[in-house]
């Protein structure tokens, strides 16, 4: 489903200004020099995973496709660029007609990745490709960071559902993308209505402490909530005394009470006490939801506690210690000259100071062991070895400027679950470690 | 200046869905119970600063005012809420006519804050105030986190200008807000064109390694850039060999070359070598800009290096280790009943598990010592002591639903510089420590 036509408030009509100024000044200089139309290959990759992480999760691809489609320079934007003197008139004229006409390949969204994985490849003229750098990196670096944290959390939670509720801890539109990335990583639902509106993610929510405080007695608040939302609602029981609140909750709603939520205190201890109390009151089916500054470690530590669902906020939307990825967008090959028939040659930075990269257009494949478990990420520039031909990772996303790789979010979510399940068991260990499979380079041309 | 009418792409027509679902279900239950219209006072505050930080920076206030003004439930939004069954028909009817009619006071944007500082107060009916919780916290928690990091970086940089260039490391719209917050914190400019468009922040940028790699020789790239952008441009000199690049750069541009940029390697060492080489080539006025994974500590470590400007990306937009604040939005007082004449009584969560807060509508003032330096953040609920009456911190932002507190970003930026300068000297130490002034509570009514 193309949800872009669901409309505002989270759509933006043009993404052309989500761009660093130097993309435009490079364009201007290259147009003048006559080099702007050299056929070029840019690749997105990361040199390392966040410290201690075992795998990365590609997320944001669908949003990249939306951004590329909507990357146009309309009159307001051109007027801004002209008035600020950011680029010259020939460049403005070129921008007025801009639309991406090249090709984009990439790891399908939800797939896992490792250091050196060419997660996206953008190919076309230098001019049309260089402009997309900033917005592509913004989306992939943010969304992949959130999805990676989400994936660790869902692995830690096992079969128990996770609710994304971090909107208040991040930028209001980053929150919508975070809900989307969390869903890809296996979260069941979100508190964020905009994420429900824009991406059709299930939304949940019942009440906060303010609702209890609004009423003269806690019991009045519970009664008001049950009267309006039904006995299946979730009552928040830690505004005053938890034991009194649980008693009042079951008295008001009966044993059909849907759930109680605990948002503070020693969750392990309180969950055990509340479960015992609920059972004594006959509310055996009333669930316990916990929601207090959880991360993957806290979730794992509650595995033996009688908890039915987790709500996660801050640590999800901040990537659980790693709020961004270090993906870069590098020119790896370009035509040797302006002639249409010019061969495409690999290029790469090669100063001694670091940040070097590997030139050449790359393929990637995941090699499996005899049990079908991933054992290496194989990256190369020459021909794909026949044994790996069926395990190639990059898929076509944009062909001649037309988006061909859009897919429903549930497909992406299922792909992530399958990709993670295909890694060695230690992938989902929470302890710090190396990438769970190594990256191997084969037949790789040297830089430049 | 109201920049909201500058238009898209970063505006959104409605902010009503940047809201957690429970705000709406609480509204529904309170409408049914008859308690929704109790006069209520909500306050935004934080219980602690990020670990080791000496002060916080209020940022996002101007964006909150835009969000409150645009918080409307239009037909598309109401249809979504109805189709998903999120709230009932009486609630949808109430939402259709929603606009905030209450009052908002707050610390002026750019001001510093401390644990317990009531940085914003929202007052009106429970119904109209509770709905604003999520979007207000999203904005203040994100923007204040970035501004605090920016402020530490500008303090470390002294008189040298800082360029914000982190767009590619965060969500594309969070990036725009981050540029704004960085500017408040004292940054001089941004690479992000959308931030220039939306907030009139100066934008800068010239070229990346891809531009050098596009050309057959580094010298060709430099020539192309100088031909198009002029001798005052900034040439990136670390694609291959830095010393060769500096020589070529000055040969191409002459000693009028504006600047060279170094983006990798041992910046301290390389900057010294490049300065010496530039001076030997007669390019005494050519500046050196460094831009490689800088944070406030790296900036401080380069204080003695011949560096003229810093570009900061990742660590700025991720809050330099603290990508969010822990601001909360709490009901602190509400009418004792539905009667219009009912007294407003303080309320507060008081379970033993933590997260308790202090009830009552609060004022705040900053007490100065005899040298005019801040010595305490004073917070109270009763009358303001006469000695502090002239030092009160909260200002009126919204009056009866009308925004009255909008102000130009340069005013906010200057306010931050003045507020920081008014703190004890140790405020800008980078070493970890306690809040630089204590928060004192006076005449404070006990919760509920």
């Amino acid at each position: 489903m193309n949800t872009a036509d669901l409309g505002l408030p989270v759509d933006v009509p043009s993404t052309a200004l989500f761009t660093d100024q130097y993309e435009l000044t490079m364009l201007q200089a290259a147009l003048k020099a006559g080099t702007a139309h050299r056929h070029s290959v840019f690749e997105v990759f990361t040199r390392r995973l966040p410290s201690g992480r075992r795998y990365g999760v590609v997320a944001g691809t669908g949003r990249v496709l939306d951004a590329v489609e909507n990357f146009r320079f309309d009159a307001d934007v051109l007027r801004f660029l002209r008035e600020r003197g950011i680029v010259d008139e020939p460049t403005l004229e070129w921008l007025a007609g801009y639309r991406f006409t090249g090709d984009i390949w990439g790891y399908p969204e939800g797939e896992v990745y490792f250091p050196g994985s060419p997660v996206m490849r953008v190919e076309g003229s230098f001019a049309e490709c260089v402009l997309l750098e900033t917005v592509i990196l913004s989306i992939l670096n943010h969304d992949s960071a959130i999805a990676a944290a989400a994936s660790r959390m869902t692995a830690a939670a096992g079969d128990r559902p996770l609710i994304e509720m971090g909107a208040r801890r991040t930028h209001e539109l980053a929150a919508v993308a975070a809900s989307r990335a969390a869903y890809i990583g296996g979260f069941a639902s979100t508190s964020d209505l905009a994420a429900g509106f824009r991406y059709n993610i299930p939304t949940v929510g019942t009440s906060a402490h303010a609702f209890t405080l609004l009423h003269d007695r806690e019991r009045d608040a519970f009664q008001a909530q049950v009267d309006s939302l039904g006995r299946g609602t979730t009552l928040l029981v830690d505004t005053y005394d938890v034991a009194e609140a649980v008693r009042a909750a079951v008295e008001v709603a009966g044993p059909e009470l849907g759930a109680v939520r605990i948002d503070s205190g020693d969750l392990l201890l309180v969950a055990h006490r509340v479960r015992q109390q609920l059972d004594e009151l006959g509310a055996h089916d009333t669930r316990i939801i916990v929601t207090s500054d959880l991360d993957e470690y806290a979730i794992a530590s509650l595995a033996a506690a009688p908890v039915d669902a987790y709500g996660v906020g801050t640590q999800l939307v901040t990537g659980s210690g790693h709020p961004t990825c270090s993906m870069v967008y590098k020119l790896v090959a370009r035509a040797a000259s302006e002639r249409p028939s010019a061969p495409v040659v690999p290029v790469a930075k090669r100063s001694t100071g670091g940040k070097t990269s590997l030139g050449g257009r790359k393929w990637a494949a995941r090699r499996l062991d005899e049990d079908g478990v991933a054992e290496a990420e194989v990256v190369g520039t020459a021909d794909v070895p026949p044994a790996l031909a069926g395990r190639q990772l990059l898929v076509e996303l944009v062909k001649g400027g037309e988006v061909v790789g859009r897919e429903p979010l549930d497909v992406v979510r299922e792909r992530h679950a399958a990709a993670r399940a295909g890694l060695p068991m230690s992938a989902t260990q929470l302890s710090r470690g190396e990438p769970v499979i190594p990256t191997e380079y084969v037949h790789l041309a040297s830089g430049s």
Side-chain angles (χ1 to χ4, degrees), chain A:
Chain A
M1 179 180 64
N2 179 350
T3 55
D5 55 3
L6 283 179
L8 299 159
V10 264
D11 277 324
V12 290
S14 168
T15 50
L17 284 185
F18 298 141
T19 299
D20 286 332
Q21 178 164 316
Y22 77 4
E23 321 287 8
L24 269 60
T25 49
M26 284 193 277
L27 169 67
Q28 173 182 315
L31 284 172
K32 179 158 180 161
T35 49
H37 304 297
R38 288 187 174 190
H39 187 81
S40 295
V41 183
F42 286 84
E43 284 177 356
V44 176
F45 63 93
T46 180
R47 297 182 180 95
R48 58 188 182 282
L49 297 180
S51 176
R53 290 283 179 87
R54 307 299 182 97
Y55 61 95
V57 180
V58 176
T61 312
R63 299 208 308 117
V64 166
L65 299 181
D66 292 344
V68 171
E69 260 186 349
N70 293 304
F71 202 93
R72 308 288 174 85
F73 293 83
D74 64 16
D76 283 348
V77 170
L78 293 170
R79 181 167 46 82
F80 163 74
L81 297 175
R82 179 178 289 114
E83 286 175 0
R84 293 283 283 263
I86 289 168
V87 285
D88 61 16
E89 285 299 324
T91 306
L92 291 171
E93 277 171 40
W94 190 88
L95 291 175
Y98 180 85
R99 59 166 298 172
F100 181 70
T101 65
D103 301 322
I104 301 181
W105 289 66
Y107 278 39
E109 190 165 15
E111 186 51 91
V112 297
Y113 71 87
F114 298 92
S117 295
V119 297
M120 190 170 283
R121 180 208 301 148
V122 180
E123 190 158 355
S125 72
F126 177 82
E128 66 183 336
C129 295
V130 74
L131 293 186
L132 299 177
E133 176 181 28
T134 310
V135 73
I136 286 178
L137 288 178
S138 289
I139 293 171
L140 294 180
N141 273 321
H142 174 268
D143 293 14
S144 299
I146 308 303
S151 178
R152 284 164 63 85
M153 292 170 182
T154 57
D159 293 334
R160 296 175 179 174
L162 289 171
I163 306 162
E164 187 284 304
M165 40 189 279
R168 64 190 55 197
R169 299 290 176 208
T170 188
H171 182 278
E172 65 276 19
L173 276 152
V176 182
S179 291
R180 182 182 182 281
Y183 190 69
I184 291 170
F187 272 55
S189 56
T190 178
S191 64
D192 190 336
L193 291 171
F197 180 85
R198 179 65 181 81
Y199 295 115
N200 209 30
I201 299 169
T203 58
V204 297
T206 51
S207 66
H209 297 114
F211 188 76
T212 298
L213 297 173
L214 171 68
H215 293 86
D216 299 332
R217 299 181 310 161
E218 187 173 53
R219 175 182 299 262
D220 297 345
F222 288 174
Q223 190 68 57
Q225 186 174 329
V226 169
D227 285 349
S228 178
L229 302 176
R231 294 172 190 275
T233 194
T234 299
L235 294 172
L236 178 59
V237 293
D238 69 338
T239 304
Y240 306 117
D241 180 84
V242 173
E244 282 180 32
V246 170
R247 191 176 315 119
V250 177
E251 282 177 18
V252 165
E256 301 94 328
L257 176 62
V260 296
R261 179 162 76 96
I262 307 165
D263 185 48
S264 56
D266 179 337
L267 297 177
L268 183 65
L269 182 70
V270 177
H272 275 291
R273 285 188 184 159
V274 167
R275 182 72 270 159
Q276 185 179 352
Q277 189 183 4
L278 286 170
D279 288 342
E280 286 169 3
L281 294 168
H284 300 286
D285 294 334
T286 300
R287 301 187 313 144
I288 296 176
I289 302 173
V290 296
T291 60
S292 182
D293 281 337
L294 299 177
D295 62 11
E296 61 268 45
Y297 303 99
I299 291 167
S301 76
L302 291 166
V307 167
D308 299 285
Y310 305 91
V312 186
T314 306
Q315 292 303 318
L316 184 277
V317 297
T318 59
S320 199
H322 300 290
T324 187
C325 303
S326 51
M327 289 186 193
V328 292
Y329 182 93
K330 293 295 175 189
L331 182 67
V332 296
R334 48 91 181 153
S337 75
E338 283 70 61
R339 286 180 294 107
S341 61
V344 171
V345 296
V347 295
K349 180 178 188 301
R350 54 178 165 78
S351 71
T352 53
K355 294 191 184 179
T356 56
S357 50
L358 299 160
R361 182 197 288 113
K362 297 174 198 69
W363 55 262
R366 193 159 299 146
R367 196 176 67 233
L368 309 186
D369 68 14
E370 56 200 13
D371 298 319
V373 177
E375 65 173 17
E377 192 84 339
V378 188
V379 176
T381 52
D383 292 340
V384 181
L388 292 174
R391 297 289 310 163
Q392 288 198 73
L393 287 158
L394 279 81
V395 298
E396 194 162 33
L397 298 169
V398 175
K399 182 174 186 170
E402 294 303 313
V403 171
V404 297
R406 195 171 266 117
E407 51 188 2
L409 209 51
D410 282 319
V411 170
V412 174
R413 189 166 186 263
E414 287 160 22
R415 177 181 298 118
H416 176 63
R420 188 176 69 188
L423 296 176
M425 293 268 285
S426 56
T428 53
Q429 279 179 218
L430 294 181
S431 54
R432 297 164 63 90
E434 297 300 309
V436 71
I437 58 174
T439 303
E440 297 177 3
Y441 297 96
V442 295
H443 300 301
L444 203 65
S446 64
S448 169

